[in-house]
């Protein structure tokens, strides 16, 4: 991801494909350490690293998760100063009962985890495909633009709500607000770069056929259609993580990987 | 049916003159008139439902012209405009019988009032005659002279169906015959709209199609009003003022029936109201809607050059109805205003809009009611975020989207979400009580809205033209352009809006034409 170009040492932005940080001279482009095969996780908790996924030409950043790791823009031990979408203290990785969990610390934008299998969504639950953010909601979710103290006794002229489409797929825009809204007229909608019900030809991170949402009665099911970059669902409170999972926090994509013992940095400020 | 002895043309039996050659026809005997109604009607229905859509008008006419003409003046439109077929295709396929039945019934009911002791003679059979005066000039003006895409509040999509003006409509005898040499009586609706053309001289001109058009639209509307069960009735049609119940005049009926100058329904003598549109026909009042005249309001203007403002009510069929004259400096209108057209509109606020004179100009000012005031777009207008506009029966809200990521939250975090790329706006379909349903992102420099053509289409909206309007963005300005749609695009206005002659204003569910002048 080209927008992840920050110096791992000082946090300053760097020119893409440059070899050294202009701010502190940190060497940005030594050959990336190959990801080691899974270390035997004999002891509990299993040793994992949190790896920042970014442009391959940039140095790999691994973070050893010992007992817990806190991610934030200001606080915590994994700090992304330059990402304005990350809250001061955003999320915590922790072990509980031998399981690795991620907890949303009441962040403004939430923590997203990549979908492994078709998942049931609740109304209003936010998910991300490509660069786009969506939710499934009822028609009335956006509220009325009419003033609250609207006149009584006067009917408002508008088109009737379609009885067959009580819900819609809504694009949530950067900075707030709703974008594209498409009702579920025949029960399901597909999202992709082309040839789908909702197409985003300008989204470079979107696969041609990316994901699929179906609505039936009270069930909303989100399915990833084998997209390259995956579909992410917002974590409600806490969610278990396992090795290989991808986490999206702000604009940062992180992967849980088995611990690589030769990793030099145990604590980074990214 | 009576066959002319001279030329062999088949005329409706109540015609006194042949439509083919103008010869006087013998009046039919009673027993011939008493032909079984049921048979006529069933043949009418059969013809209507069995014929190909394009051939329906002709089939209907040839099957049972008597039924068409006699029973239901308001249903006359059924056999005339081919455009009706396209409209009825949607509505009538399943409900054909019941719709036709109820249309015939209610049309007859409205044409034939209940007998009273005072008036115990059955009203005379409707025999068409030339209206006593030409159709109002205003109507002719409204209809224009040329292209057929006019300021009617309803769209019958002639421009999308070129054949609609041609074959079936013109094959029907009622169409072609008066346009030929019919000397005296002819179906009233074919009265030329042109003031200069005397009624007796049948003009064979290009405008014939226009006349056909008007006839069809008004008759269609009458048929639609008379057909309560039809599924395709739109909110506007459903809300159109219901024809008042026919009232029996105090005077005994004279022999020759009249034809309503607004909707062309037959208004038998002795009836005070048109059964089709409710226009008052009281002889003593010279067709003026005197009983509806609102009381004077405000302070009369004192200058000699007082401008007057008339708001002419446009019926759902495009014809003009009552007019409200405002001879005062300023008047606030709304549902509180003592004018029935306002009072019965549930979409109108009690104080909805103010019209006022300033200098030599007339302005309107929306009073901030729930539904607001819409003015028909002339050409292009700039759109601002939050603007509402109507195309066909659809209400849209435009929102400008400016590049930028919005203000951060209190802890300095920005809202994550979809990038807007080069999107400049968002168009949302307004549903329910001010909620936004489907919404489109506007990223191309133009976006077309229409019934069949454009990036956004509403195939079910019969009041939207094929290509209706366009949203554009250039030089940081978003604009809305009407593409010559039949029914126009109405933009909700704010602040003081100067009015000019023949502007169309949408208040609640009613459209009014602005008529300005000096007293």
């Amino acid at each position: 991801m080209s927008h992840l170009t920050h110096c791992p040492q000082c946090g300053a932005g760097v020119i893409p494909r440059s070899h050294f940080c202009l701010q502190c001279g940190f060497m940005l482009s030594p050959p990336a350490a190959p990801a080691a095969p899974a270390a035997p996780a004999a002891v509990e908790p299993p040793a994992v690293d949190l790896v920042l996924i970014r442009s391959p030409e940039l140095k790999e950043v691994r973070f050893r998760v010992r007992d817990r790791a806190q991610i934030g823009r200001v606080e915590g031990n994994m700090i992304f100063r330059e990402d304005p979408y990350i809250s001061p203290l955003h999320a915590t990785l922790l072990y509980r009962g031998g399981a690795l969990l991620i907890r949303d610390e009441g962040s403004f934008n939430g923590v997203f985890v990549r979908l492994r299998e078709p998942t049931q969504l609740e109304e209003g639950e936010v998910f991300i495909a490509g660069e786009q953010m969506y939710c499934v909601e009822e028609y009335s979710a956006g509220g009325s633009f009419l003033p609250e103290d609207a006149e009584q006794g006067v009917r408002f002229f508008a088109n009737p709500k379609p009885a067959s489409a009580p819900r819609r797929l809504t694009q949530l825009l950067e900075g707030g607000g709703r974008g594209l809204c498409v009702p579920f007229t025949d029960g399901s909608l597909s999202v992709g770069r082309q040839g789908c019900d909702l197409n985003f030809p300008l989204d470079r991170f979107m696969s041609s056929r990316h994901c699929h949402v179906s609505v039936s009665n009270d069930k909303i099911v989100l399915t990833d259609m084998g997209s390259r970059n995956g579909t992410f669902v917002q974590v409600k409170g806490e969610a278990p993580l396992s090795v290989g999972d991808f986490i999206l926090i702000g604009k940062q994509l992180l992967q849980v990987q088995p611990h690589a013992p030769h990793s030099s940095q145990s604590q980074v400020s990214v | 049916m009576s066959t002319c002895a001279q030329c062999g043309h088949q005329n409706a039996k109540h015609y006194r003159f042949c439509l083919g050659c103008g010869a006087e026809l013998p009046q039919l005997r009673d027993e011939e008139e008493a032909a079984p109604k049921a048979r006529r009607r069933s043949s009418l229905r059969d013809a209507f439902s069995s014929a190909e859509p394009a051939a329906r008008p002709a089939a209907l006419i040839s099957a049972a012209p008597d039924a068409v003409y006699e029973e239901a003046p308001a249903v006359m439109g059924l056999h005339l405009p081919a455009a009706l077929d396209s409209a009825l295709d949607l509505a009538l396929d399943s409900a054909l019988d019941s719709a036709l039945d109820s249309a015939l019934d209610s049309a007859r009911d409205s044409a034939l009032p209940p007998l009273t002791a005072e008036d115990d003679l059955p009203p005379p059979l409707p025999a068409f005659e030339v209206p006593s005066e030409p159709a109002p000039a205003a109507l002719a003006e409204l209809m224009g002279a040329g292209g057929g895409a006019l300021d009617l509040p309803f769209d019958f999509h002639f421009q999308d169906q070129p054949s609609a003006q041609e074959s079936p409509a013109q094959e029907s005898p009622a169409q072609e015959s008066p346009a030929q040499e019919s000397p005296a009586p002819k179906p009233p609706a074919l009265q030329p709209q042109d003031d200069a053309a005397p009624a007796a001289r049948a003009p064979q001109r290009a405008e014939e199609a226009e006349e056909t058009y008007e006839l069809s639209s008004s008759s269609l509307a009458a048929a639609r009003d008379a057909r309560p069960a039809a599924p395709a009735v739109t909110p506007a049609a459903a809300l159109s003022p219901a024809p008042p119940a026919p009232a029996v005049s105090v005077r005994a009926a004279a022999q020759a029936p009249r034809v309503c100058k607004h909707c062309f329904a037959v208004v038998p003598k002795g009836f005070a109201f048109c059964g089709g549109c409710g226009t008052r026909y009281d002889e003593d009042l010279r067709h003026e809607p005197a009983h509806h005249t609102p009381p004077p309001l405000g302070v009369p203007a004192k200058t000699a050059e007082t401008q007057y403002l008339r708001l002419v009510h446009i019926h759902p069929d495009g014809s003009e109805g009552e007019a409200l004259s405002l001879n005062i400096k300023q008047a606030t209108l709304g549902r509180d205003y003592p004018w029935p057209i306002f009072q019965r509109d549930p979409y109108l606020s009690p104080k909805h809009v103010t019209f006022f004179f300033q200098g030599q100009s007339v302005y309107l000012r929306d009073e901030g009611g729930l539904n607001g005031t819409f003015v028909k777009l002339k050409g292009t207008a700039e759109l601002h975020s939050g603007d509402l506009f109507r195309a066909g029966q659809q209400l849209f809200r435009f929102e400008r989207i400016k590049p930028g990521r919005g203000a951060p939250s209190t802890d300095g975090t920005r809202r994550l979400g979809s990038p807007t790329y080069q999107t400049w706006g968002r168009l949302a379909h307004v549903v329910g009580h001010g909620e936004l349903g489907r919404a489109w992102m506007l990223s191309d420099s133009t976006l077309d809205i229409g019934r069949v053509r454009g990036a956004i289409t509403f195939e079910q909206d019969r009041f939207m033209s094929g290509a209706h309007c366009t949203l554009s963005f250039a030089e940081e300005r978003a604009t809305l352009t009407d593409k010559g749609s039949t029914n126009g695009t109405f933009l909700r206005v704010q602040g003081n809006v100067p009015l000019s002659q023949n502007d169309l204003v949408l208040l609640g569910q009613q459209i009014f034409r602005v008529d300005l002048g000096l007293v």
Side-chain angles (χ1 to χ4, degrees):
Chain A
M1 289 192 178
S2 57
H3 55 269
L4 295 179
T5 52
H6 307 293
C7 172
Q9 182 163 304
C10 71
V14 295
I15 298 166
R17 282 186 288 279
S18 62
H19 296 282
F20 295 93
C21 172
L22 295 176
Q23 197 75 31
C24 66
F26 184 81
M27 191 179 182
L28 296 169
S29 58
V43 293
E44 292 210 21
V48 295
D49 287 348
L50 209 50
V51 180
L52 182 64
I53 309 291
R54 49 184 193 170
S55 307
E57 64 266 24
L58 293 176
K59 180 180 181 289
E60 183 183 49
V61 174
R62 303 182 74 92
F63 182 80
R64 170 77 196 274
V65 180
R66 294 185 187 279
D67 52 346
R68 65 165 48 199
Q70 292 203 300
I71 302 166
R73 185 162 42 85
V74 178
E75 301 170 41
N77 45 11
M78 195 169 185
I79 296 175
F80 298 89
R81 276 186 219 132
E82 304 260 313
D83 189 336
Y85 302 100
I86 294 181
S87 292
L89 178 61
H90 200 106
T92 302
L93 263 82
L94 66 153
Y95 290 104
R96 187 187 297 147
L100 182 63
L101 298 172
I102 187 161
R103 184 169 73 210
D104 187 343
E105 299 288 354
S107 67
F108 188 57
N109 287 312
V111 174
F112 293 83
V113 174
R114 183 171 176 170
L115 217 61
R116 282 179 173 272
E117 55 199 7
T119 301
Q120 191 169 339
L121 292 184
E122 286 174 16
E123 212 156 83
E125 205 175 335
V126 178
F127 65 97
I128 292 175
E131 287 185 299
Q132 314 296 321
M133 196 169 185
Y134 319 84
C135 70
V136 176
E137 61 181 13
E138 291 202 342
Y139 263 59
S140 53
S144 168
F145 63 81
L146 298 173
E148 295 222 342
D149 55 345
E151 294 169 73
Q152 303 297 311
V154 180
R155 269 197 267 172
F156 182 69
F157 173 88
N159 313 93
K161 284 192 209 183
S164 59
R167 293 202 185 93
R168 66 184 180 198
L169 187 58
T170 299
Q171 181 194 21
L172 302 170
L173 298 181
E174 195 173 19
R178 289 173 167 77
L180 190 68
C181 295
V182 182
F184 286 91
T185 43
D186 52 0
S188 73
L189 290 171
S190 57
V191 177
R193 211 173 57 242
Q194 57 193 20
C196 295
D197 298 319
L198 283 76
N199 295 306
F200 298 90
L202 295 175
D203 188 338
R204 294 167 298 140
F205 302 100
M206 180 87 76
S207 296
S208 294
R209 295 173 57 75
H210 200 105
C211 66
H212 178 271
V213 189
S214 67
V215 171
S216 61
N217 298 328
D218 293 330
K219 265 179 97 174
I220 305 166
V221 177
L222 172 64
T223 310
D224 186 84
M225 297 196 290
S227 69
R228 184 184 170 94
N229 290 314
T231 305
F232 293 79
V233 184
Q234 186 171 2
V235 168
K236 289 167 291 199
E238 287 182 348
L241 288 180
S242 50
V243 169
D245 273 347
F246 287 88
I247 308 162
L248 192 59
I249 291 176
K251 289 282 188 188
Q252 312 303 317
L253 181 63
L254 302 158
Q255 190 182 19
V256 179
Q257 287 184 2
H259 176 57
H262 59 273
S263 174
S264 56
Q265 285 174 293
S266 63
Q267 181 167 335
V268 289
S269 169
V270 183
Chain B
M1 186 69 69
S2 75
T3 306
C4 176
Q6 201 165 317
C7 71
H9 190 95
Q10 294 204 320
N11 295 288
K13 67 180 177 187
H14 58 273
Y15 281 6
R16 287 179 294 171
F17 297 92
C18 172
L19 289 175
C21 64
E24 191 162 359
L25 295 171
Q27 291 301 301
L28 293 180
R29 293 187 300 278
D30 285 345
E31 59 265 23
E32 289 179 63
E33 285 181 0
K37 275 186 184 174
R39 208 187 63 210
R40 283 200 316 236
R41 290 182 47 174
S42 79
S43 64
L44 186 65
R45 274 200 300 276
D46 291 345
F48 190 85
S49 55
S50 62
E52 288 298 312
R56 265 182 198 159
L60 207 56
I61 266 296
S62 63
D66 299 348
V68 174
Y69 284 118
E70 274 185 36
E71 288 195 23
V75 197
M76 279 177 53
L78 281 176
H79 70 283
L80 287 169
L84 179 66
D85 281 315
S86 65
L88 287 182
D89 275 347
L90 293 170
L92 283 188
D93 276 349
S94 59
L96 179 66
D97 276 3
S98 62
L100 194 55
D101 268 344
S102 66
L104 290 170
D105 286 341
S106 54
R108 188 182 54 229
D109 289 346
S110 62
L112 307 180
L115 296 178
T116 66
E118 206 175 355
D119 183 13
D120 51 1
L121 288 174
L125 276 178
F128 293 113
E129 65 167 12
V130 177
S132 55
E133 52 184 278
L139 188 52
E141 190 181 4
L142 184 71
M143 298 307 300
L150 297 159
D151 292 342
L152 292 175
F154 296 93
D155 183 4
F156 299 104
H157 313 307
F158 280 84
Q159 74 274 37
D160 297 316
Q161 300 175 0
S163 66
Q165 297 193 14
E166 292 159 11
S167 47
Q170 292 186 350
E171 279 162 26
S172 82
Q175 286 291 314
E176 59 187 27
S177 41
Q180 291 158 7
E181 304 85 323
S182 158
K186 52 178 165 178
L190 289 158
Q191 179 67 28
Q193 292 311 308
D194 193 337
D195 276 337
R201 256 191 334 213
Q204 180 94 43
R205 290 175 315 194
E207 286 95 316
E208 190 184 347
E210 287 315 304
E211 293 155 19
T212 306
Y213 181 16
E214 186 196 359
L215 168 66
S216 54
S217 49
S218 36
S219 306
L220 170 60
R224 187 179 50 225
D225 288 343
R227 183 161 29 86
V233 171
T234 62
L239 282 163
S240 65
V248 180
S249 159
V250 289
R251 298 197 171 271
Q255 277 309 303
R258 290 160 304 181
V259 171
C260 175
K261 63 180 178 179
H262 288 139
C263 73
F264 301 113
V266 173
V267 186
K269 282 274 192 255
F271 291 85
F273 296 93
C274 168
C277 65
T279 306
R280 183 155 193 163
Y281 280 94
D282 193 317
E283 301 298 311
D284 298 329
L285 296 172
R286 297 186 164 210
H287 302 189
E288 287 299 322
H291 65 303
H292 284 162
T293 304
L297 268 188
V299 184
K302 287 170 185 164
T303 54
E305 286 195 339
T306 303
Q307 279 181 309
Y308 74 83
L309 164 67
R310 282 171 78 236
L311 289 180
V312 185
H313 183 218
I314 308 287
H315 287 150
D317 58 21
S319 61
E320 298 203 345
E322 293 175 28
L324 179 67
S325 292
L326 301 171
N327 291 321
I328 54 175
K329 279 283 190 193
Q330 176 165 333
T332 299
L333 309 178
R335 213 169 57 206
D336 280 355
Y337 193 81
W339 195 29
I341 289 174
F342 287 154
Q343 285 171 331
R344 64 190 169 214
D345 190 340
Y347 295 91
L348 214 55
S349 298
K351 297 205 175 356
H352 198 100
V353 66
T354 298
F355 290 88
F356 62 97
F357 298 106
Q358 201 170 73
Q360 293 298 305
S361 305
V362 179
Y363 295 83
L364 71 74
R365 180 177 67 236
D366 182 53
E367 292 296 340
L370 187 63
N371 285 296
T373 302
F374 290 73
V375 176
K376 185 180 173 185
L377 194 63
K378 287 174 289 191
T380 298
E382 182 164 2
L383 280 181
H384 301 96
S385 200
D387 274 353
L388 293 165
F389 66 92
R390 274 179 65 171
Q393 285 287 305
Q394 314 300 322
L395 178 65
F396 298 98
R397 185 170 200 257
F398 171 76
E399 292 163 10
R400 179 86 163 82
I401 291 178
K402 290 187 172 158
R405 298 181 293 186
S409 74
T410 49
D411 63 8
T413 314
R414 291 188 180 274
R415 170 69 70 186
L416 187 68
S418 307
T420 52
Y421 306 116
Q422 67 266 52
T423 302
W424 51 271
R426 175 177 185 252
L427 184 68
H429 194 221
V430 181
V431 298
H433 192 74
E435 295 162 13
L436 301 178
R438 187 184 268 268
W440 299 265
M441 297 298 273
L442 307 169
S443 47
D444 296 338
S445 60
T446 62
L447 178 128
D448 294 341
I449 302 174
R451 187 169 39 79
V452 289
R453 290 192 292 278
I456 300 176
T457 56
F458 289 86
E459 288 167 19
Q460 303 298 318
D461 188 342
R462 296 181 299 122
F463 304 105
M464 189 176 277
S465 292
H468 199 102
C469 58
T470 300
L471 290 157
S472 317
F473 186 68
E475 296 167 356
E476 296 300 308
R477 284 172 76 240
T479 53
L480 174 66
T481 307
D482 185 72
K483 298 179 84 176
S485 66
T486 303
N487 293 315
T489 306
F490 286 79
L491 186 62
R492 183 166 173 172
V493 294
Q494 286 167 341
N496 295 347
V497 181
L499 295 175
S500 48
Q501 178 72 4
N502 292 339
D503 273 353
L504 291 181
V505 179
L506 178 65
L507 301 173
Q509 273 290 67
Q510 312 298 330
I511 294 176
F512 299 91
R513 183 174 65 83
V514 171
D515 185 21
L516 303 174
L518 292 174
V519 171

